[in-house]
């Protein structure tokens, strides 16, 4: 049914004119014939009258009248054409507005509104004919990092390219939509084999999105996490179906991302708890619930306190003090790690101003920050505004961050080093260890991961590995730091091998700022580890 017949009044008029149309046509023809006869009679009378009254010059007046009539007819014809053009223009504008209201302007795929219309239609069809379908919720991994690092133009181009890859891997009957941001959704009807075709398509999507993206001068990689929920197997209405697809998507992210997960009712409560914790974490970042605790670092040879490592802690109002390993993975999945760093840095420059100026403070960075070429400038701006000496700050970088974008990491490190900030390679040996990194990048320290220190008493192989790390740092002129020292035996062995510094529960756990200040007051000068 056409759009102009959707109004009830117009439908009634259409029915009325349709019923009487033959009679109206006859009446119009009769009226036209009569008008023509009257016009001929009138013309004949006017001709006779003008001939009998030539002095009135009625023929000239009639000529002017005819010319004006023709001019009026011409104006009416032009105006009619303009009105028709305006009508067509408005119809096209209405059609275009309808398209914009239902399609995403960036990628050209249906938007959230049209998706929900299609979802309702498929639910109605499934209830009528008994056919099932699945909803796939797709969320890009690391999109925010790409967007923040390379700009919104690159982010938009990435979304367009991703949508093209998604369409290329879908069947003609599948329905793709962009729900907003980096979130897409797909509706897929089940075949005779049930959900098997859905899982095959999900696997193709994962493989396609995981390929490198060439975005102008930028080449990067992202992945996608997919949550799958079925109708009617997992839900009986649209809202529940989307909620469970969302829970499945979080399950995929929790499993390491770049995978798909089918909704499992057994995991519903666990995932809901994780989502709730993420919401609480966002609130904590806004209200100041995330603060650093400071773990002391000691010179193993002299026992002198040389500095602290600032470790993020969450002062949860109900669950108490939460360690980083509890909430950092959630923050990473939610893209919140870049927001935690400036919070910790702001506390560090405020707390450490009261401490001896020869003490350094180390802060961990996330891999995403080492892809942000503006990261070094922001760090130096914070130090400058606070009047905090750059030489007292130490940035700890993981090996994973170097693999993601070595060139960006190098530029950031050089900028920080030129300003006086020191740089450490954190968790050495647990990531993608490469002598190239140690040779090409301006590190000051190597931090031996706690997992190696804890295995020192498990055999000679563990000792050989740690010994080689210490010797490597000595050969390169770098300071070696052992993490996670818990026993006197570990400390004595590391000291005998020439390891420079250590930290761990043997010396102290991470302390809040007030207790770190009390520790410094108790040690006074020289700063000697208490026995």
């Amino acid at each position: 049914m056409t759009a102009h017949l959707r109004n009830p009044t117009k439908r009634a008029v259409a029915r009325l004119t349709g019923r009487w149309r033959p009679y109206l046509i006859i009446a119009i023809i009769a009226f036209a014939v009569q008008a023509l006869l009257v016009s001929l009679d009138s013309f004949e009378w006017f001709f006779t009258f003008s001939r009998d009254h030539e002095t009135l010059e009625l023929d000239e007046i009639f000529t002017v009248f005819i010319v004006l009539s023709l001019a009026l007819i011409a104006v009416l014809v032009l105006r009619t054409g303009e009105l028709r053009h305006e009508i067509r223009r408005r119809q096209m504008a209405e059609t275009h507005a309808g398209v914009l209201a239902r399609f995403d302007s960036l990628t050209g795929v249906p938007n959230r509104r049209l998706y929900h219309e299609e979802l309702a239609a498929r639910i109605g069809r499934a209830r009528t004919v008994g056919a099932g379908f699945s909803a796939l919720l797709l969320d890009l991994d690391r999109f925010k990092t790409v967007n923040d690092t390379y700009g919104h133009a690159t982010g938009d181009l990435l979304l367009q390219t991703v949508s093209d890859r998604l369409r290329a891997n879908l069947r003609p009957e599948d329905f793709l939509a962009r729900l907003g941001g980096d979130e897409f959704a797909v509706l897929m009807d089940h075949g005779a084999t049930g959900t098997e075709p859905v899982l095959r398509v999900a696997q193709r999507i994962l493989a396609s999105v995981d390929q490198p993206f060439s975005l102008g001068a930028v080449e990067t990689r992202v992945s996608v996490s997919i949550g799958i929920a079925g109708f009617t197997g997992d839900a009986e209405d649209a809202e529940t179906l989307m909620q469970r697809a969302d829970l499945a998507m979080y399950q995929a992210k929790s499993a390491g991302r770049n995978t798909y997960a089918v909704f499992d009712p057994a995991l519903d409560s666990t995932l809901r708890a994780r989502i709730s914790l993420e919401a609480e974490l966002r609130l904590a970042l806004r209200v100041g619930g995330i603060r650093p605790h400071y773990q002391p670092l000691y010179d193993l040879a002299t026992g002198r306190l040389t500095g602290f490592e600032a470790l993020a802690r969450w002062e949860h109002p109900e669950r108490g003090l939460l360690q980083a390993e509890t909430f950092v993975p959630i923050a990473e999945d939610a893209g919140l790690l870049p927001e935690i760093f400036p919070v910790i840095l702001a506390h560090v420059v405020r707390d450490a101003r009261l401490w001896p100026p020869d003490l350094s403070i180390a802060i961990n960075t996330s891999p995403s920050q080492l892809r942000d070429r503006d990261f070094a400038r922001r760090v130096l701006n914070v130090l400058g505004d606070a009047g905090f000496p750059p030489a007292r700050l130490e940035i700890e970088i993981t090996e994973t961050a170097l693999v993601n974008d070595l060139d960006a990491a190098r530029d950031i490190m050089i900028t920080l080093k030129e300003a006086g900030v020191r740089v450490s390679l954190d968790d050495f040996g647990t990531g993608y260890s490469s002598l190239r990194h140690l040779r090409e990048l301006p590190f000051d320290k190597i931090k031996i991961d706690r997992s190696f220190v804890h295995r020192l008493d498990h055999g000679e192989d563990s000792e050989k590995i740690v010994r080689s790390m210490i010797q490597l740092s000595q050969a390169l002129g770098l300071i070696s730091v052992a993490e996670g020292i818990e026993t006197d035996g570990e400390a004595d062995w590391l000291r005998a091998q020439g390891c420079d510094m250590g930290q761990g529960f043997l010396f102290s756990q991470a302390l809040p700022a007030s207790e770190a200040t009390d520790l410094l007051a108790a040690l006074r000068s020289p700063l000697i580890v208490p026995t």
Side-chain angles (χ1 to χ4, degrees), residues 19 23 35 41-42 70 241 266 293 322 336 342 360 367 382 491 530:
R19 183 184 306 170
Y23 302 101
D41 291 341
S42 299
L70 293 174
L241 182 66
H293 280 208
L322 298 182
L336 296 176
S360 64
V382 172

Side-chain angles (χ1 to χ4, degrees), residues 181-196:
D182 61 341
E183 191 174 59
F184 293 82
V186 178
L187 297 176
M188 297 184 61
D189 291 332
H190 295 165
T193 56
T195 60
E196 182 180 343

Side-chain angles (χ1 to χ4, degrees), residues 228-230 232-235 240 243-245 247-249 251 261-273:
I228 304 173
T232 58
D234 298 322
T240 304
Q243 287 176 348
R244 293 185 170 176
L247 287 172
M249 187 267 291
Q251 180 184 343
V262 179
F263 174 74
D264 182 356
L267 297 174
D268 194 355
S269 59
T270 302
L271 291 171
R272 288 185 184 276

Side-chain angles (χ1 to χ4, degrees), residues 42-337:
S42 299
F43 182 79
E44 184 179 353
W45 175 85
F46 181 79
F47 177 77
T48 303
F49 182 82
S50 61
R51 185 181 58 189
D52 296 339
H53 302 79
E54 293 183 359
T55 57
L56 298 177
E57 299 181 350
L58 294 177
D59 53 344
E60 287 83 356
I61 295 175
F62 180 71
T63 301
V64 172
F65 175 77
I66 294 298
V67 172
L68 292 176
S69 298
L70 293 174
L72 179 60
I73 291 172
V75 171
L76 291 175
V77 170
L78 291 174
R79 181 56 181 163
T80 300
E82 292 176 355
L83 289 174
R84 289 178 177 174
H85 176 73
E86 179 65 17
I87 291 172
R88 286 196 299 269
R89 188 190 66 80
R90 292 190 179 186
Q91 289 175 339
M92 292 176 62
E94 291 175 359
T95 301
H96 184 60
V99 171
L100 292 179
R102 288 173 168 79
F103 287 83
D104 177 48
S105 59
L106 178 64
T107 61
V109 302
N111 62 10
R112 180 182 293 270
R113 176 178 175 181
L114 185 54
Y115 172 79
H116 284 290
E117 292 178 3
E118 178 68 18
L119 177 59
R122 296 206 178 200
I123 289 177
R125 185 166 65 249
R127 287 172 175 166
T128 301
V129 302
F133 69 92
S134 290
L136 287 71
L137 196 60
L138 297 80
D139 189 84
L140 295 182
D141 307 319
R142 292 187 53 248
F143 172 75
K144 187 177 185 299
T145 299
V146 174
N147 207 44
D148 293 344
T149 302
Y150 301 111
H152 293 290
T154 300
D156 289 347
L157 184 56
L158 175 60
L159 290 173
Q160 292 170 341
T161 309
V162 167
S163 67
D164 291 340
R165 293 190 185 183
L166 294 178
R167 279 183 288 206
N169 286 281
L170 295 177
R171 305 170 303 181
E173 64 270 24
D174 299 333
F175 186 89
L176 170 67
R178 181 189 175 205
L179 302 185
D182 61 341
E183 191 174 59
F184 293 82
V186 178
L187 297 176
M188 297 184 61
D189 291 332
H190 295 165
T193 56
T195 60
E196 182 180 343
V198 176
L199 302 183
R200 285 202 302 268
V201 169
Q203 291 169 347
R204 290 204 304 266
I205 289 174
L206 291 172
S208 176
V209 176
D210 193 41
Q211 298 302 311
F213 288 84
S214 295
L215 310 172
V218 174
E219 182 166 321
T220 188
R221 300 186 72 153
V222 297
S223 58
V224 63
S225 297
I226 306 175
I228 304 173
F231 186 91
T232 58
D234 298 322
E236 298 290 339
D237 59 77
E239 182 178 0
T240 304
L241 182 66
M242 292 305 297
Q243 287 176 348
R244 293 185 170 176
D246 193 48
L247 287 172
M249 187 267 291
Y250 272 93
Q251 180 184 343
K253 285 188 174 293
S254 301
R257 298 180 287 187
N258 193 25
T259 187
Y260 70 83
V262 179
F263 174 74
D264 182 356
L267 297 174
D268 194 355
S269 59
T270 302
L271 291 171
R272 288 185 184 276
R274 182 183 178 90
I275 294 171
S276 176
L277 195 61
E278 179 184 323
E280 293 173 352
L281 178 58
R282 293 181 185 274
L283 177 62
L285 284 169
R286 292 198 299 269
V287 301
I290 306 296
R291 293 175 176 271
H293 280 208
Y294 298 93
Q295 186 170 45
L297 282 85
Y298 290 94
D299 186 311
L300 291 178
T302 65
R304 180 182 178 83
L305 177 65
T306 62
F308 293 95
E309 179 180 358
L311 302 172
R313 295 290 184 264
W314 181 1
E315 298 174 0
H316 195 280
E318 298 176 357
R319 302 174 61 179
L321 187 68
L322 298 182
Q323 304 291 318
E325 54 265 25
T326 302
F327 63 89
V328 165
I330 297 175
E332 184 176 9
D333 288 342
L336 296 176
L337 285 183

Side-chain angles (χ1 to χ4, degrees), residues 236-530:
E236 298 290 339
D237 59 77
E239 182 178 0
T240 304
L241 182 66
M242 292 305 297
Q243 287 176 348
R244 293 185 170 176
D246 193 48
L247 287 172
M249 187 267 291
Y250 272 93
Q251 180 184 343
K253 285 188 174 293
S254 301
R257 298 180 287 187
N258 193 25
T259 187
Y260 70 83
V262 179
F263 174 74
D264 182 356
L267 297 174
D268 194 355
S269 59
T270 302
L271 291 171
R272 288 185 184 276
R274 182 183 178 90
I275 294 171
S276 176
L277 195 61
E278 179 184 323
E280 293 173 352
L281 178 58
R282 293 181 185 274
L283 177 62
L285 284 169
R286 292 198 299 269
V287 301
I290 306 296
R291 293 175 176 271
H293 280 208
Y294 298 93
Q295 186 170 45
L297 282 85
Y298 290 94
D299 186 311
L300 291 178
T302 65
R304 180 182 178 83
L305 177 65
T306 62
F308 293 95
E309 179 180 358
L311 302 172
R313 295 290 184 264
W314 181 1
E315 298 174 0
H316 195 280
E318 298 176 357
R319 302 174 61 179
L321 187 68
L322 298 182
Q323 304 291 318
E325 54 265 25
T326 302
F327 63 89
V328 165
I330 297 175
E332 184 176 9
D333 288 342
L336 296 176
L337 285 183
E339 297 182 30
I340 293 178
F341 179 87
V343 170
I344 300 300
L345 181 60
H347 281 287
V348 164
V349 298
R350 184 167 58 249
D351 296 339
R353 282 184 299 182
L354 304 176
W355 300 341
D358 60 335
L359 294 181
S360 64
I361 312 296
I363 306 181
N364 294 284
T365 60
S366 65
S368 61
Q369 289 169 313
L370 269 294
R371 292 187 295 268
D372 180 3
R373 294 180 181 272
D374 206 34
F375 172 69
R377 182 189 62 80
R378 287 198 294 269
V379 170
L380 296 177
N381 285 345
V382 172
L383 300 181
D385 293 342
F388 191 85
R392 294 190 61 191
L393 183 67
E394 184 176 305
I395 298 295
E396 296 190 356
I397 297 174
T398 63
E399 294 171 334
T400 304
L402 302 178
V403 172
N404 288 333
D405 195 335
L406 180 61
D407 292 336
R410 180 189 294 107
D411 293 343
I412 292 169
M413 292 173 62
I414 290 175
T415 301
L416 292 173
K417 288 278 292 181
E418 289 177 347
V421 177
R422 285 174 286 183
V423 184
S424 298
L425 180 59
D426 195 18
D427 300 335
F428 183 65
T430 62
Y432 303 90
S433 301
S434 172
L435 294 178
R436 175 193 174 195
H437 296 157
L438 296 177
R439 184 184 70 249
E440 295 186 2
L441 301 177
F443 287 110
D444 297 285
K445 294 181 180 179
I446 292 177
K447 301 195 72 174
I448 303 170
D449 187 70
R450 67 185 68 244
S451 61
F452 296 103
V453 175
H454 291 170
R455 290 198 295 265
L456 285 176
D457 57 353
H458 292 175
E460 293 185 1
D461 289 343
S462 298
E463 292 183 354
K464 290 178 181 178
I465 292 174
V466 176
R467 185 183 297 111
S468 65
M469 292 180 180
I470 296 172
Q471 292 172 349
L472 176 63
S473 65
Q474 292 171 343
L476 295 174
L478 304 178
I479 297 173
S480 57
V481 182
E483 297 179 307
I485 302 175
E486 296 184 0
T487 68
D488 288 325
E490 292 170 350
D492 292 340
W493 187 90
L494 290 165
R495 185 182 300 110
Q497 302 304 316
C499 185
D500 299 303
M501 297 182 183
Q503 63 185 102
F505 288 166
L506 174 65
F507 307 119
S508 173
Q509 63 180 355
L511 305 171
S514 59
E515 294 183 21
T517 301
D518 293 341
L519 173 64
L520 293 173
L523 294 176
R524 295 197 180 103
S525 182
L527 299 173
I528 304 298
V529 180

